[in-house]
Amino acid sequence: MKKVKNVEIDLDLYQYIASQTNAIGKESPSDILRRLLNFPACLQTANEPKPSDQLPLFSQPETQEPPVKKHATNQLAVNLLTKNVKGLLKSDEFKQENKGVNRFLQVLSVLYRTNPESFATAVESIKGSTREYFAREEGILLAIAKTCKPKQIPASPFWVVTNNNTDRKLRIIGRTMAQMQLPETVIQDVESAFNEL
């Protein structure tokens, strides 16, 4: 089995690597760095899981930015989120997807992969009057409502209920994006993409 080493990197480097993704949801951080550094592709056996199957696509560095840089860092994070969401909406994979639930999961996956910490904070506050929409375990959602059809958000440890109609899915995405401080225009772009279905 291939050895994997976790390393800490500064937030600005993390955001740069995430911004260099060519295939949203398909490239691991190692794949991106290999491509950027012209490093040879890693040989894997057919049985060997890819690192991206074992770990989230990106994990936020644990170090805290100095308070002085907080506003600039937040703006960089919002800019990167905006870029990645717009990139997803323009991608052939998204445009060719004709199921709302799959588009729903694709958007949530990009939000998580781009900024896992902000996503986790955002979804904590997004709840219905009688139910949870997000959880880190499928069983938590099933315990609240057996028919909620939870699905795991790709490349994330989070599960989300999927038995909502399109309007409710859009409200969930919109609230998540608003909590992550994305501009209203980007939220509207996502709504328009769903209205095209």
Side-chain angles (χ1 to χ4, degrees):
M1 184 170 192
K2 187 170 73 169
K3 294 180 181 176
V4 176
K5 178 76 174 164
N6 292 331
V7 295
E8 288 186 15
I9 60 171
D10 293 333
L11 183 59
D12 58 339
L13 290 174
Y14 158 78
Q15 291 174 333
Y16 175 77
I17 293 169
S19 73
Q20 298 304 306
T21 301
N22 276 349
I24 294 172
K26 307 283 187 202
E27 283 189 301
S28 71
S30 292
D31 294 336
I32 296 167
L33 287 172
R34 284 180 185 282
R35 180 172 40 76
L36 293 175
L37 298 171
N38 292 322
F39 205 74
C42 180
L43 298 175
Q44 288 183 301
T45 64
N47 306 355
E48 191 173 317
K50 295 179 184 176
S52 59
D53 294 336
Q54 301 166 346
L55 301 170
L57 188 57
F58 286 102
S59 57
Q60 277 287 42
E62 294 178 16
T63 55
Q64 295 291 323
E65 287 290 309
V68 182
K69 296 182 181 178
K70 191 78 171 160
H71 179 70
T73 301
N74 285 346
Q75 191 55 53
L76 283 173
V78 170
N79 291 347
L80 182 58
L81 278 163
T82 299
K83 176 184 174 185
N84 288 352
V85 170
K86 286 184 174 184
L88 172 68
L89 298 180
K90 292 177 185 173
S91 72
D92 289 339
E93 181 182 2
F94 186 84
K95 288 179 179 178
Q96 291 169 6
E97 181 54 64
N98 58 8
K99 290 186 177 178
V101 68
N102 292 337
R103 284 189 172 191
F104 176 65
L105 292 169
Q106 286 176 339
V107 173
L108 291 173
S109 180
V110 166
L111 294 174
Y112 173 81
R113 289 191 334 266
T114 305
N115 195 331
E117 186 178 301
S118 178
F119 182 88
T121 302
V123 300
E124 282 177 8
S125 64
I126 299 172
K127 303 175 184 194
S129 56
T130 59
R131 70 193 296 191
E132 301 280 332
Y133 292 126
F134 295 93
R136 287 184 183 261
E137 295 176 26
E138 179 184 21
I140 292 172
L141 297 175
L142 288 172
I144 297 166
K146 296 280 185 213
T147 60
C148 69
K149 297 184 182 175
K151 291 191 185 276
Q152 189 164 18
I153 298 169
S156 93
F158 285 92
W159 291 74
V160 64
V161 299
T162 63
N163 69 332
N164 300 306
N165 62 30
T166 301
D167 286 342
R168 175 73 60 173
K169 286 183 178 78
L170 284 174
R171 280 199 293 274
I172 292 169
I173 289 174
R175 286 178 59 192
T176 304
M177 293 173 74
Q179 290 285 337
M180 295 177 79
Q181 301 179 355
L182 275 119
E184 183 62 33
T185 55
V186 179
I187 297 171
Q188 289 170 355
D189 289 344
V190 171
E191 289 176 0
S192 297
F194 275 80
N195 291 334
E196 293 168 3
L197 287 174

